[in-house]
Amino acid sequence: MRSPLAVFFIVLFLAVNVLFMLAPTAMLAIQAVFDDDGAFTLEYFQALAQYQYASSFENSLILSLLSATVGVIAGGLIAFAVLKDDAPRWLRSVVTSFSAVAANFAGVPLAFSFIATLGTLGLLTKLLKTWGIDIYAAGFSLYSIGGLTLVYSYFQIPLMVIIFFPALEALRPSWREAAENLGASTWQYWRLVGLPVLAPSLLAAWILLFGSAFSAYGTAYALTSGNIALVTTEISAVLSGNVVSEPQIGAALSVGMIVVMVLVLLASNLLSARAARWSVKS
Amino acid sequence: MATVDIKGVRKSYSGREVLSAIDLAMGDGELICLLGPSGCGKTTLLRIVAGFIQPDAGQVLVAGDDVTKLPTARRRMGMVFQSYSLFPNMTALDNVCFGPRVAGQKRDVQLARARQLLDMVGLSSHEAKFPHQLSGGQQQRVALARALAVQPQVLLLDEPLSALDAKVRVQLREEIRRIQRETGVTTMLVTHDQEEALSISDRVAVMNGGRLLQVATPAAIYREPADGFVARFIGSGAVFAGQAQGDHVRVADFTLPAHAAAAHPRGEPVEMFIRPEKVQLTPRNGHIPTGALAGEVRETIFLGSLTRVRIAVHGATDLHLWADLASEHAEDFKPGAPVVAQWDASAPRVMKA
């Protein structure tokens, strides 16, 4: 028998979910299939096939895939280096503190700090130019998908570091010792034991980073002023009426985002279940 | 199978010596238990033999070859850890296959060897289970099979039974001994449990404070402890500090019979040690024989067929003796009962203090 307090908090949690997740989602879905006169229509979903909206999904997906992958690899390696036996103990607290700040340093301030550093007239851009290295002439642009990936990495990597520390700490040193004792090389240990054990955590972290990038708005808008179409900036554009006010298109785009995230979560769950089949309690 | 020679091994951490000049020779196929209290250095010594820790000085020789600088992976030693340390992402069978697999053996050879070993440890029907689906005892059996799969020259067991409950512990230690005899592998087992050490070892190496105090058969360790620490640590009994006086030991105001004291110069500070099974107890009815101690029963501990009785000696509040009685005769010796304790003069062991 559950205690009344537990029941109260479960009901509270469900109520919050209904009010702030299910209800808005339902409202978006309804808004996306009814026109101004209240008649049912699929034209707003069909409009998503138009180039500007389709490319916004493509750009958002590429940006999220790239920045999540860069974040998982770079953040994972940093977390591993910090937790190594021979790493100084103070390094962990320094990296944790920095990561906690950096993971939350997104939006307009982050965009401007990158413009000031790596923009066409940025400090580092000019400094490199004085050394004969013109990164913009070499094809780099802060205002491209590549540039956005770099900027997103600034908060994605620290986020990965923070969420990956516990998973790495759960790797028992005695597994490494047992593998070594049985004749395994470092590579064999990681291939056969370390990475398979970490796989569910890596997948979960990747999903979190993907979602974080997919839903980011402020940084991309401040950096590209809408020049690179992303789903979030397109939603803003059709809702604010900068071009034309089409709230139903905004709703259809939002439903599209939800569908993408649900699909990614389903794929991730399938992979996680496979990767973690050894930890499922019988 | 191989001999192991540990020669002059020393290890310090931050200036604190945890192992001081350890010399230990293990015969081919021998099972030696490193026994001692927590922090005595026994696990450090085992990990030096395994290659996880480099000694500051000294050598480890296996079958005559110096392996001191050899990486762990190339030492051909099987190790069983206190916490089992099975790979959680692999079944019992795959765990046992791991060593042959990383050595590049063919899959059918790996499987045949692994299945043979799982059969040896009685877990054939559990080969498809993951570690979390096995009990602690089963996990440790798999760990033992995994360690043996690489056909190790030396088997190292780091407190392999300490995480198990009492009944499983007894079963598994007997099984370890049986398998060790069957395979004939030279084995070093670390434990702080004296009963475990005495029951399965060919020889016991008692350690304390980073030093090896005595290496001998379980019977010799029990009967002839080398010093007061070993006497106190192995089994139970009373240790009295005193001075040798011919074939007696002078303890406080008492002169206690002990033939072994004759080996010590008169007046030399010694420790006299007597096991509880050597002490005879009778109810006190006035007369106290020469060399006997009068006292009072303070507590009784029921041990099944035996009852252990603690006696406080009259006239010396800090002197206590233990005596073992057959439980059916222990009714007369309730706490508070006046008693006389005596022993054969050949029973006590006398050691230089």
Side-chain angles (χ1 to χ4, degrees), chain A residues 172 174 177 181 192 278 280, chain B residues 47 77 79 83 85 89 132:
Chain A
R172 283 160 49 177
S174 61
E177 289 178 349
N181 179 254
L192 299 171
W278 45 269
V280 179
Chain B
R47 291 174 70 79
M77 291 183 184
M79 182 145 171
S83 53
S85 299
N89 57 320
H132 74 82

Side-chain angles (χ1 to χ4, degrees), chain B:
Chain B
M1 286 160 286
T3 57
V4 176
D5 286 298
I6 297 165
K7 291 184 175 175
V9 164
R10 291 175 185 275
K11 185 70 189 174
S12 298
Y13 289 113
S14 309
R16 193 176 71 85
E17 193 167 55
V18 292
L19 287 178
S20 53
I22 300 288
D23 289 298
L24 178 64
M26 294 174 66
D28 199 357
E30 186 177 33
L31 193 159
I32 282 194
C33 275
L34 298 182
L35 175 67
S38 296
C40 71
K42 56 191 188 297
T43 295
T44 304
L45 182 59
L46 184 95
R47 291 174 70 79
I48 284 173
V49 174
F52 294 129
I53 299 173
Q54 273 297 307
D56 296 336
Q59 289 177 301
V60 177
L61 283 79
V62 177
D65 297 326
D66 188 353
V67 299
T68 319
K69 303 284 181 199
L70 208 60
T72 304
R74 289 176 51 202
R75 292 195 180 194
R76 274 193 58 213
M77 291 183 184
M79 182 145 171
V80 175
F81 297 80
Q82 182 179 355
S83 53
Y84 325 131
S85 299
L86 295 179
F87 305 129
N89 57 320
M90 296 180 195
T91 60
L93 184 68
D94 285 337
N95 263 283
V96 183
C97 280
F98 187 87
R101 181 180 177 184
V102 296
Q105 287 183 13
K106 286 184 179 167
R107 184 67 178 160
D108 55 343
V109 177
Q110 293 172 27
L111 289 173
R113 173 81 181 140
R115 289 200 167 108
Q116 179 197 354
L117 287 164
L118 282 174
D119 187 43
M120 183 193 272
V121 297
L123 287 177
S124 294
S125 56
H126 294 73
E127 66 171 49
K129 288 186 177 170
F130 287 101
H132 74 82
Q133 296 170 314
L134 299 168
S135 69
Q138 289 170 332
Q139 287 189 57
Q140 203 57 301
R141 282 190 181 93
V142 174
L144 183 61
R146 182 179 68 175
L148 291 169
V150 292
Q151 292 178 307
Q153 297 189 91
V154 182
L155 182 64
L156 306 170
L157 303 124
D158 186 8
E159 306 224 23
L161 308 174
S162 59
L164 303 172
D165 63 55
K167 195 175 172 188
V168 178
R169 205 157 56 222
V170 172
Q171 281 174 352
L172 195 51
R173 84 177 180 216
E174 286 164 4
E175 221 162 309
I176 287 174
R177 186 51 162 159
R178 171 182 65 79
I179 290 166
Q180 192 269 338
R181 282 201 171 116
E182 277 176 28
T183 56
V185 64
T186 309
T187 302
M188 180 182 274
L189 186 147
V190 160
T191 182
H192 60 265
D193 182 337
Q194 46 155 308
E195 187 189 326
E196 187 177 307
L198 296 177
S199 63
I200 68 169
S201 311
D202 290 314
R203 284 190 299 157
V204 178
V206 183
M207 293 181 71
N208 190 36
R211 289 181 308 120
L212 209 48
L213 302 179
Q214 188 174 9
V215 184
T217 62
I221 289 262
Y222 186 80
R223 289 194 202 112
E224 295 157 16
D227 64 11
F229 176 83
V230 179
R232 284 184 197 93
F233 195 73
I234 303 287
S236 42
V239 181
F240 299 139
Q243 289 91 40
Q245 278 194 355
D247 56 1
H248 286 75
V249 175
R250 182 80 183 158
V251 178
D253 294 332
F254 305 102
T255 303
L256 306 177
H259 285 163
H264 297 265
R266 186 173 282 270
E268 183 180 67
V270 292
E271 285 184 315
M272 189 191 102
F273 172 68
I274 185 155
R275 295 270 179 215
E277 64 269 24
K278 301 290 185 187
V279 176
Q280 293 134 31
L281 218 53
T282 48
R284 179 149 51 94
N285 301 316
H287 174 68
I288 301 169
T290 309
L293 288 173
E296 183 182 293
V297 173
R298 281 295 160 88
E299 65 176 311
T300 58
I301 302 167
F302 180 70
L303 301 172
S305 60
L306 291 176
T307 295
R308 186 154 292 167
V309 180
R310 183 165 68 89
I311 306 116
V313 176
H314 277 317
T317 50
D318 56 340
L319 284 190
H320 292 263
L321 266 174
W322 291 94
D324 282 351
L325 304 172
S327 288
E328 66 263 32
H329 300 136
E331 286 298 308
D332 299 338
F333 300 96
K334 290 197 165 35
V339 292
V340 172
Q342 53 195 323
W343 53 86
D344 190 276
S346 63
R349 181 150 175 84
V350 179
M351 300 152 290
K352 191 176 173 185

Side-chain angles (χ1 to χ4, degrees), chain A residues 187-248:
Chain A
W187 164 239
Q188 283 173 319
Y189 162 72
W190 280 107
R191 184 169 64 84
L192 299 171
V193 182
L195 285 174
V197 170
L198 287 175
S201 306
L202 285 168
L203 269 170
W206 189 87
I207 289 296
L208 192 69
L209 266 58
F210 180 90
S212 162
F214 198 62
S215 59
Y217 165 71
T219 310
Y221 189 79
L223 203 58
T224 67
S225 306
N227 290 333
I228 295 175
L230 298 175
V231 183
T232 48
T233 56
E234 286 303 303
I235 292 171
S236 167
V238 295
L239 288 182
S240 64
N242 279 350
V243 184
V244 56
S245 179
E246 290 179 305
Q248 289 94 337

